[in-house]
């Protein structure tokens, strides 16, 4: 049912945190955010070709594929950067008869109930692969830090496409342009 899909989305967020809380596999490190910004601006875009979809991403980011999730992971900006910002792509079978509005309402209910320190910043209409989508922007506050999430999802041909950015709230402006490149270039083929 629809709530089962929402729980899968919540599990995906937990997966996002697990994937991004380590920088052990990061191949590039920057002395500061200015060095990162300069490198990304000069870097080329790479293209990821998935099963029935594709997207562009900054070539200095890394692709990780695990358990049906494609993670696009940023390089860390310093040794102290314990959280590698990332965008994750998940495809889920859509529930018969469920609408984008149904998924949006269920996702909001699920997030509010499951995320400690949940603060909704935006819930709005969007486009993903030139198709009607929903965009949820929220933060999760803990004693250690505030994390920001930007989640965009759409329904096409019986598939729910979910793209989720996760990162430190105070570093979001540094990564926002890169996140937009990934999400804006996402195409269902």
């Amino acid at each position: 049912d629809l709530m089962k899909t929402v729980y899968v989305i919540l599990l995906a967020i937990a997966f996002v945190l697990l994937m991004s809380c380590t920088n052990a596999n990061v191949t590039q490190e920057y002395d500061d955010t200015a060095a990162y910004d300069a490198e990304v601006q000069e870097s080329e875009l790479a293209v990821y070709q998935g099963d029935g979809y594709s997207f562009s991403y900054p070539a200095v980011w890394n692709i990780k594929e695990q358990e049906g999730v494609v993670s696009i992971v940023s390089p860390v900006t310093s040794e102290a950067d314990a959280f590698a910002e990332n965008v994750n792509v998940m495809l889920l079978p859509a529930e018969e008869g469920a609408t984008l509005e149904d998924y949006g309402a269920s996702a909001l209910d699920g997030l509010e109930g499951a995320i400690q320190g949940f603060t909704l910043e935006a819930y709005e209409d969007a486009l993903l692969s030139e198709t009607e989508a929903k965009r949820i922007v929220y933060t999760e506050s803990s004693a250690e830090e505030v994390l920001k999430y930007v989640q965009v999802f759409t329904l096409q041909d019986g598939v729910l496409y979910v793209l989720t950015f996760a990162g430190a709230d105070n570093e979001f402006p540094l990564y926002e342009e890169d996140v937009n490149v990934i999400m804006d270039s996402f195409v269902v083929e």
Side-chain angles (χ1 to χ4, degrees), residues 54-142:
S54 63
F55 57 84
S56 299
Y57 64 97
V60 298
W61 287 45
N62 297 299
I63 295 284
K64 294 181 183 181
E65 297 171 310
Q66 187 174 349
E67 299 181 29
V69 177
V70 176
S71 298
I72 311 99
V73 183
S74 74
V76 293
T77 53
S78 74
E79 269 186 38
D81 192 359
F83 192 94
E85 281 69 17
N86 59 83
V87 176
N88 292 272
V89 178
M90 286 186 67
L91 282 62
L92 303 165
E95 296 293 324
E96 190 172 326
T99 67
L100 203 53
E101 287 296 330
D102 294 335
Y103 281 109
S106 293
L108 284 176
D109 287 344
L111 290 168
E112 288 173 327
I115 305 257
Q116 182 180 14
F118 175 84
T119 302
L120 180 65
E121 292 185 2
Y123 175 63
E124 58 200 6
D125 293 333
L127 287 176
L128 186 63
S129 187
E130 299 181 7
T131 302
E132 180 184 339
K134 291 293 180 186
R135 183 173 183 261
I136 303 173
V137 181
Y138 59 96
T139 58
E140 172 184 5
S141 301
S142 69

Side-chain angles (χ1 to χ4, degrees), residues 141-157:
S141 301
S142 69
E144 295 84 39
E145 67 182 320
V146 178
L147 299 177
K148 182 183 249 357
Y149 299 89
V150 177
Q151 192 167 67
V152 180
F153 53 94
T154 191
L155 285 168
Q156 282 192 19
D157 300 322

Side-chain angles (χ1 to χ4, degrees), residues 159-179:
V159 177
L160 179 65
Y161 295 85
V162 183
L163 280 68
T164 306
F165 165 81
D169 185 45
N170 63 342
E171 292 193 6
F172 181 69
L174 175 65
Y175 297 100
E176 186 171 16
E177 186 174 329
D178 300 332
V179 171

